Amino acid sequence: MPVQESELIDTVKRVLADVTHNDAVLDMDLDTQLREDLGIDSMTSLTFLMALEDAVDGFFVDATTLEADHFQTIGSIYEYVRTQLSAAKIA
């Protein structure tokens, strides 16, 4: 059964809250900046991606499709996860 949009957004936020140890993430907007607002650095980004792979069935990071733009906001990382899930269903 496909994951609902709101459920996927909630999962991305929950994983981000866990990785950053900041439950306020759960109430943040999709335009919240990962680096500027949450202080996400490159190491935290890697930890976050690995945790997302564990939390979202069927999601795998593809190094050939991952770009810095995907780490701008909560919404941009959500879109990356959604796109990867869609591509996995097609493949």
Side-chain angles (χ1 to χ4, degrees):
M1 184 162 107
V3 177
Q4 298 297 317
E5 179 178 350
S6 62
E7 183 181 337
L8 186 55
I9 291 169
D10 289 346
T11 300
V12 168
K13 287 182 176 183
R14 182 176 37 78
V15 171
L16 187 56
D18 289 347
V19 168
T20 61
H21 308 287
N22 181 358
D23 285 342
V25 170
L26 300 172
D27 297 320
M28 292 181 178
D29 295 329
L30 292 181
D31 61 353
T32 299
Q33 298 286 314
L34 297 179
R35 182 174 299 271
E36 291 81 1
D37 297 332
L38 297 175
I40 302 289
D41 59 16
S42 57
M43 192 61 181
T44 306
S45 295
L46 290 173
T47 303
F48 177 46
L49 284 173
M50 290 187 300
L52 276 174
E53 284 184 333
D54 290 341
V56 179
D57 287 341
F59 171 66
F60 297 99
V61 176
D62 180 351
T64 63
T65 61
L66 187 63
E67 298 178 10
D69 287 351
H70 295 127
F71 283 94
Q72 297 300 312
T73 64
I74 293 173
S76 64
I77 198 68
Y78 155 74
E79 286 296 330
Y80 175 73
V81 172
R82 189 182 61 76
T83 300
Q84 290 301 105
L85 288 172
S86 294
K89 289 177 187 167
I90 294 169

